[in-house]
Amino acid sequence: MTYDPTGHLLLTPVDREAPLRVRRLRELGIGDRPDRDFDAFAERLATVTGAPYSMVNFIDEHQQFFAGLHTPHGNHSTEELGATAAAGGGVSRYMARDHGYCPHVVVRRKALVLEDVCDYPRFAGNPVVDEIGIRSYLGAPLIDRTGTALGTICVVDTEPRPWGRPGLETIKSLAAELVEQIHRREDARL
């Protein structure tokens, strides 16, 4: 964490690996457009965890992109999340880098369980709490064979959720499974 010149804690961690991540994502040909396989994986995430929202999320220097997305309504647009949600109930595939918890997971390179984000002052002030109503989060990094944290998989809910150790183990296992799927894609391209 860093502080701005006025002494306020910045909510989004500094991400020094972003340029490397962007190069690796381009190499793999992922992370900049919707992907049916990733949408199917996000749907599976939602089914396994019982969460209403799930994502396969890739993060660059400026934004997050949900290459895989599952929502209760299935409406996915390409506009900003807040504007889209207000306009018609759809959920965007783009989110600002300072929104949400996935940037923390990528920088920490560790899974994160927030059963009720309001219990954590560091995370309760995140814009997704007030703008979107997110109350719980479960996410894990996607670390590939080069050691690059490509992004995350995550599930969120608008209600607090007791994810516990079983939720943590599940999300970590599913992240490893998706990384293997990404590796098989890469191997098939060679």
Side-chain angles (χ1 to χ4, degrees), residues 29-86:
I30 59 174
D32 62 352
R33 63 189 170 284
D35 184 298
R36 287 184 186 166
D37 291 339
F38 294 155
D39 280 342
F41 196 89
E43 184 172 348
R44 185 163 160 245
L45 274 172
T47 300
V48 168
T49 63
Y53 299 92
S54 57
M55 297 74 133
V56 174
N57 185 11
F58 298 107
I59 303 170
D60 67 19
E61 296 100 328
H62 309 291
Q63 67 185 4
Q64 302 176 65
F65 180 72
F66 306 130
L69 178 62
H70 171 81
T71 68
H73 307 295
N75 300 336
H76 310 138
S77 77
T78 57
E79 298 174 22
E80 290 297 320
L81 185 60
T84 305

Side-chain angles (χ1 to χ4, degrees), residues 132-152:
I132 305 167
I134 300 302
R135 286 294 300 273
S136 61
Y137 172 91
L138 177 63
L142 299 170
I143 301 175
D144 79 346
R145 64 179 115 203
T146 69
T148 304
L150 302 172
T152 67

Side-chain angles (χ1 to χ4, degrees), residues 18-40:
L20 172 65
R21 178 179 319 106
V22 170
R23 280 193 304 276
R24 181 68 176 138
L25 290 170
R26 284 186 188 133
E27 222 174 75
L28 293 167
I30 59 174
D32 62 352
R33 63 189 170 284
D35 184 298
R36 287 184 186 166
D37 291 339
F38 294 155
D39 280 342

